[in-house]
Amino acid sequence: MSRKRKNKELEKQKIKKSKLIIAIVVVFLCIASIYWAKLLLRDKHEMTKSLVLRAIGNLDADIRIIEHVDFQCSACAKGYLILKKYYKEYPEKIQIELRYHPWTQQKNALNSALYAECSASQGKFWEYTQLLFERQNNWKHAEDAGRIFQKLAKEVSLDRRKLIECVANEQTKKIVLGEKEQGAARGIKRTPSYYINGKMVVGIKSLKFELNRLLRKYEN
Amino acid sequence: MKINIFFAIRIAVGLLFIISGVEKLISSYQNFFYVVQSYEVLSMPLAKITAFIMPWIELFLGVFLVIGLYLKWTLYGVISVLITFIFIVSQAIIRSLPIDECGCFGGLVSLPLHGVLMMDITLLFLTGLLLFRLSRASFLSLDNDFNKE
């Protein structure tokens, strides 16, 4: 009887061992699959050299920031204020470049980006986008945001006729949406997202953390 | 042909967890880190650790659920995770945190907080059901194969 019981126990141990081995193999395969998938997608996510179209600051700055924003996103507006504060305090250490990432399901996101791009072509990009962010609550849910965007444009002395022509131009839409596609290919899934010296950072908490870390590093 | 509904539920819940885990793992870690921070429950270091570990937990639980290995413990794990999610989402709703979408499936699906709370409660119920009817849920599972041996 005890021999039978011993055999049963041995069989149980064997099964336990086999299960454990299978579990370890499965875990290993999962990890390997994920890293293989990340490797495959890595080329898509790597940043291509981009023209500095909408950049401000020292080209030789220690801290180079590319921000991907949606002008209708409230966190992006907060992020803008934070970057403005840091840039004011450390103008020599920081360079900022802005990329469009409008969430097209949002009412006026795309339209605001079109107006911003058209303000860039008249050399008033930073002045205009400052107004867009500061007055975000005025146009966010507006039915006729275009009228508000044109009012803002007047404040920074943009040529109204040129602005309207530019906004209506399909090429402008191509630029904005093309940039969004590039951002998505780089792994942008939320706004605001930033690439700070090549490192991706999402959200304003992480932005502040990373900026403070880099400023401490370059101060030393 | 009689359909084993418990087996179907097991596979469905497992696949959901796999998809959720994989989507978070293949995109940049920073995206899910931002999601974890948004719920304002954990400190920065703990949020970082959670953002790193949670997708792997989801993936492993999902895979083990689908293949039916250590099924009982996997179901306990799934229930624990779901209870945690329900707590975190509930506190975000109560505190009216400015979170537009839960971030549960990375960037795949956009779900508002109330929607995800209902989904998690449903999943918790279904998982509880699987635990209650473990023998039926173990249909076509590795655990069953080993038990036969």
Side-chain angles (χ1 to χ4, degrees):
Chain A
M1 259 315 236
S2 80
R3 205 187 196 183
K4 246 190 176 175
R5 198 180 277 172
K6 247 187 180 174
N7 283 341
K8 251 191 173 174
E9 280 302 316
L10 279 167
E11 206 53 51
K12 265 188 177 171
Q13 291 295 330
K14 213 179 166 187
I15 289 173
K16 262 189 180 170
K17 230 181 188 175
S18 306
K19 271 176 124 177
L20 188 61
I21 291 170
I22 291 178
I24 291 170
V25 168
V26 165
V27 165
F28 175 75
L29 284 173
C30 286
I31 295 171
S33 307
I34 293 296
Y35 279 106
W36 176 74
K38 280 175 95 92
L39 222 73
L40 276 181
L41 293 168
R42 198 181 186 171
D43 287 339
K44 273 194 182 177
H45 289 179
E46 258 175 28
M47 286 185 32
T48 54
K49 273 192 181 152
S50 60
L51 295 165
V52 177
L53 295 170
R54 285 158 249 116
I56 193 169
N58 180 6
L59 283 172
D60 295 321
D62 291 323
I63 303 170
R64 289 181 308 283
I65 305 168
I66 295 178
E67 57 171 334
H68 295 258
V69 298
D70 169 358
F71 293 106
Q72 192 166 334
C73 139
S74 46
C76 298
K78 288 183 188 146
Y80 160 79
L81 287 173
I82 289 167
L83 277 181
K84 191 178 170 186
K85 178 177 155 250
Y86 276 90
Y87 181 71
K88 215 176 176 178
E89 248 181 278
Y90 306 96
E92 285 306 307
K93 287 203 157 72
I94 295 178
Q95 190 219 25
I96 305 168
E97 185 185 323
L98 191 142
R99 289 273 178 257
Y100 305 117
H101 205 97
W103 298 108
T104 47
Q105 64 269 33
Q106 301 236 70
K107 207 187 190 108
N108 296 311
L110 178 59
N111 209 10
S112 58
L114 295 175
Y115 273 87
E117 172 60 17
C118 294
S119 72
S121 63
Q122 292 189 43
K124 294 281 177 82
F125 178 75
W126 292 104
E127 295 89 332
Y128 189 72
T129 52
Q130 176 171 327
L131 287 181
L132 277 179
F133 278 130
E134 283 174 359
R135 315 266 180 94
Q136 198 186 59
N137 288 330
N138 293 358
W139 58 263
K140 228 169 146 157
H141 303 296
E143 282 305 320
D144 183 16
R147 198 176 38 87
I148 301 174
F149 295 146
Q150 285 162 34
K151 257 190 175 170
L152 296 178
K154 211 177 174 181
E155 288 187 39
V156 294
S157 311
L158 287 171
D159 183 318
R160 188 173 178 271
R161 191 186 53 83
K162 277 189 187 165
L163 186 72
I164 292 172
E165 259 175 39
C166 171
V167 167
N169 193 338
E170 275 302 309
Q171 188 57 26
T172 311
K173 202 177 187 179
K174 248 184 175 174
I175 291 170
V176 168
L177 293 177
E179 217 158 77
K180 184 187 173 184
E181 252 181 68
Q182 284 178 4
R186 279 177 212 139
I188 305 294
K189 289 184 190 258
R190 295 195 144 68
T191 52
S193 288
Y194 308 88
Y195 273 92
I196 305 179
N197 290 357
K199 176 184 172 183
M200 188 180 176
V201 158
V202 180
I204 49 187
K205 277 188 189 155
S206 298
L207 169 69
K208 280 198 252 187
F209 183 83
E210 189 63 17
L211 280 177
N212 290 334
R213 187 186 73 81
L214 286 171
L215 286 165
R216 274 195 304 271
K217 176 183 173 185
Y218 290 113
E219 222 142 65
N220 296 332
Chain B
M1 192 180 104
K2 224 180 172 181
I3 298 169
N4 184 337
I5 190 79
F6 298 98
F7 167 71
I9 292 171
R10 185 187 109 215
I11 300 300
V13 174
L15 286 175
L16 209 66
F17 267 70
I18 290 171
I19 292 168
S20 177
V22 167
E23 170 58 18
K24 291 179 190 112
L25 286 165
I26 61 173
S27 67
S28 172
Y29 145 86
Q30 290 287 345
N31 286 306
F32 188 55
F33 176 45
Y34 173 73
V35 169
V36 175
Q37 283 180 308
S38 315
Y39 286 92
E40 295 181 17
V41 172
L42 301 168
S43 62
M44 182 85 126
L46 277 176
K48 268 192 176 164
I49 294 167
T50 304
F52 183 74
I53 289 176
M54 187 52 84
W56 287 109
I57 291 175
E58 284 182 295
L59 175 63
F60 294 144
L61 284 175
V63 169
F64 278 73
L65 211 54
V66 166
I67 65 177
L69 190 62
Y70 296 121
L71 205 48
K72 197 178 180 184
W73 292 107
T74 304
L75 287 168
Y76 283 137
V78 168
I79 286 172
S80 307
V81 164
L82 287 170
I83 289 173
T84 308
F85 288 167
I86 288 169
F87 165 73
I88 287 170
V89 172
S90 302
Q91 64 87 36
I93 292 171
I94 291 166
R95 290 163 67 193
S96 305
L97 294 180
I99 300 168
D100 294 324
E101 53 104 8
C102 76
C104 315
F105 297 96
L108 264 182
V109 172
S110 176
L111 284 171
L113 291 185
H114 287 95
V116 86
L117 185 63
M118 290 324 306
M119 185 186 74
D120 284 344
I121 291 170
T122 307
L123 286 174
L124 183 65
F125 170 75
L126 290 174
T127 312
L129 211 63
L130 292 179
L131 202 59
F132 184 65
R133 296 302 291 264
L134 190 59
S135 53
R136 296 289 307 275
S138 302
F139 178 69
L140 286 183
S141 68
L142 284 176
D143 276 354
N144 242 15
D145 291 341
F146 279 111
N147 288 341
K148 276 181 194 162
E149 278 183 32

